Amino acid sequence: MTTQNQEKSFENQHILLQPLYVGGLKIENRIWVAPMAGVTDNPFRRLAKSFGAGHAVSEMIIADTALYARQKSLYRANFSGEIAPISAQVAGAEPDKLAQAVRFQVENGACIVDINMGCPAKKVCRKLAGSALLQDLDLVKRLLDSAVESVADLDVPITLKTRLGFANGQENILTIAHIAEQAGISALAIHGRTREDFYTGNARYELIKEVKANAKIPIIVNGDIDSPQKAKWVQEYTEADAVMIGRAGQGRPWIFRDIAHYLATGELLPEPSVSELRQIVLTHLDELYQFYGEYSGCRIARKHIAWYTGGLPNSNAFREAMYQEETTSGQYKVVDKFLSTGC
């Protein structure tokens, strides 16, 4: 299909269904998976993309070479079987170490590297990383300059994920966005809360709308997007270039498919039947077991099973029994039995 015909084919599509280019790399649609520590691992990213997510960013790796060889970091840096372009996230507060971490991820197969300045977790903020950095604009500039320069010879896009600011009443996202553009950041994802908010209250989109109105790079909106209708409304209100789905995808990886279907047809898809849910869960479990092995696979799967089965009849008793299983085979059997009996 020629470029002209492609442009015509997109005329009647919602913007979120159209491709987005980040630093010259094509991303098939604008419904993205937000990076979440302990959630967006390799199996989850591949699952979300199988349900139509256009892009998925990995869990973050802390910019400390002493941590790279740890098993948890090796899992987080495993991109085997993923659909390109692969995006890896790093976090840190020292420009030199952050630059090294960026190079590490690129050498490991990442096509895009994302800088985390949004994580509100205390253990990250104690290291003056994540959203704690929003208190020091000079350091933000030095970190972003260092990250971009570290792979300038490779022409690898660097993106940034952040929040409205560190504290309520001190929102400085407009300044952060300007610093990011000046540094050469290729796209900016913004969660509509401050670090002080953590995940409480409601995400606010007014400042994201203002950032977008003044930005020359793609802006991705994140926070409380939990339904097809909300995805459509938030994008159209902010005019953001993409939406990023985080917690709403936990136990609901089909939300990406649902959003795309709604934007294409105006219709809402029904929730998966128990039979469909069984197939999704068991497939996910197989992937987790294969990826992590016996011990970690069984334990990491527990939270996903709990998310999938929340709200189902008799699910509380089922989960209590499931948590007692210490082997992948035992865990798989109880999940299969529960979902095979119609709950």
Side-chain angles (χ1 to χ4, degrees), residues 218-229:
I219 301 299
I220 298 91
V221 60
N222 175 227
D224 293 353
I225 300 173
D226 57 5
S227 69
Q229 303 97 310

Side-chain angles (χ1 to χ4, degrees), residues 72-342:
K72 183 181 288 187
S73 292
L74 293 176
Y75 283 132
R76 291 179 174 181
N78 187 322
F79 308 119
S80 177
E82 284 199 56
I83 299 171
I86 292 166
S87 180
Q89 191 180 72
V90 297
E94 299 176 53
D96 290 347
K97 288 186 176 181
L98 188 67
Q100 291 171 14
V102 169
R103 292 286 301 202
F104 170 83
Q105 292 286 35
V106 172
E107 291 166 2
N108 193 47
C111 306
I112 300 171
V113 179
D114 187 62
I115 308 300
N116 182 310
M117 291 188 182
C119 180
K122 290 182 180 179
K123 65 181 180 180
V124 175
C125 287
R126 276 199 299 267
K127 297 178 182 292
L128 290 180
S131 56
L133 293 167
L134 302 180
Q135 302 170 97
D136 188 338
L137 296 181
D138 179 66
L139 180 55
V140 167
K141 181 182 186 304
R142 289 189 287 117
L143 287 165
L144 296 183
D145 285 342
S146 181
V148 172
E149 290 169 6
S150 71
V151 288
D153 59 319
L154 302 176
D155 198 28
V156 172
I158 303 296
T159 59
L160 172 65
K161 187 168 193 299
T162 189
R163 288 183 168 230
L164 300 178
F166 186 78
N168 292 324
Q170 301 174 29
E171 293 84 351
N172 57 0
I173 186 58
L174 291 169
T175 304
I176 296 290
H178 178 72
I179 292 171
E181 281 195 343
Q182 293 296 109
I185 293 297
S186 295
L188 173 62
I190 308 169
H191 184 112
R193 288 180 171 86
T194 63
R195 193 273 169 176
E196 180 182 342
D197 290 328
F198 207 76
Y199 292 106
T200 62
N202 298 315
R204 294 174 280 143
Y205 308 112
E206 294 83 4
L207 281 173
I208 301 176
K209 178 182 177 72
E210 191 171 348
V211 170
K212 171 56 189 173
N214 293 282
K216 298 180 179 65
I217 59 174
I219 301 299
I220 298 91
V221 60
N222 175 227
D224 293 353
I225 300 173
D226 57 5
S227 69
Q229 303 97 310
K230 187 70 174 286
K232 183 176 186 291
W233 182 85
V234 169
Q235 187 283 319
E236 292 176 356
Y237 173 73
T238 62
E239 298 185 320
D241 298 280
V243 296
M244 190 171 262
I245 315 297
R247 289 172 294 160
Q250 296 175 356
R252 292 176 63 210
W254 53 85
I255 190 172
F256 305 99
R257 175 193 65 189
D258 291 358
I259 292 171
H261 182 82
Y262 178 73
L263 294 174
T265 68
E267 300 173 351
L268 293 172
L269 288 171
E271 288 293 304
S273 66
V274 174
S275 176
E276 291 169 328
L277 178 62
R278 173 180 170 272
Q279 187 60 48
I280 294 167
V281 176
L282 295 181
T283 298
H284 193 181
L285 292 185
D286 279 335
E287 295 285 347
L288 288 169
Y289 300 158
Q290 182 176 348
F291 187 74
Y292 288 107
E294 177 66 25
Y295 182 84
S296 296
C298 181
R299 283 148 185 80
I300 289 170
R302 289 171 181 163
K303 62 191 171 194
H304 292 282
I305 297 168
W307 289 329
Y308 279 122
T309 58
L312 294 178
N314 306 312
S315 61
N316 288 337
F318 155 73
R319 283 194 297 273
E320 287 300 315
M322 180 270 296
Y323 289 139
Q324 305 307 311
E325 294 294 334
E326 297 289 336
T327 66
T328 56
S329 59
Q331 185 182 72
Y332 189 96
K333 287 177 183 177
V334 297
V335 173
D336 189 12
K337 181 180 179 181
F338 177 67
L339 295 177
S340 293
T341 56

Side-chain angles (χ1 to χ4, degrees), residues 20-26 155 157 186:
L20 178 65
Y21 288 84
V22 174
L25 294 177
K26 181 181 180 181
D155 198 28
S186 295

